[in-house]
Amino acid sequence: MENPWKVGWSVDTIYWWGCKKNYGVYRLINPDEPDHVGNRVVWGGFETEEEAQVLADELNNAEKGDDHVR
């Protein structure tokens, strides 16, 4: 797959003991250009990387024609 959906994260809140991350699923609008915020389609709002990875896998499988999408 040339332009797969991937999991990314951003920092939501910084604490003295670490930070809280927000996870999202994204892919590049134009895969021939550099990765930057203006070149991404993003689905966000996940609390764990595992939740975001489930969506990324489902989106990638749907584009492959796999019928095992939720």
Side-chain angles (χ1 to χ4, degrees), residues 4-15:
W5 292 91
K6 303 173 188 175
V7 174
W9 59 270
S10 63
V11 174
D12 179 35
T13 308
I14 299 175
Y15 303 100

Side-chain angles (χ1 to χ4, degrees), residues 46-70:
F46 298 97
E47 291 194 18
T48 68
E49 184 175 6
E50 290 78 16
E51 290 174 321
Q53 188 63 56
V54 168
L55 177 60
D57 292 342
E58 288 179 357
L59 291 169
N60 287 325
N61 288 337
E63 290 182 1
K64 290 181 199 172
D66 189 349
D67 293 335
H68 297 93
V69 177
R70 232 189 316 170

Side-chain angles (χ1 to χ4, degrees), residues 12-23:
D12 179 35
T13 308
I14 299 175
Y15 303 100
W16 64 269
W17 63 85
C19 63
K20 180 180 178 218
K21 296 179 182 178
N22 280 329
Y23 292 90

Side-chain angles (χ1 to χ4, degrees), residues 19-32:
C19 63
K20 180 180 178 218
K21 296 179 182 178
N22 280 329
Y23 292 90
V25 176
Y26 76 95
R27 78 168 167 188
L28 300 180
I29 295 168
N30 184 345
D32 296 328

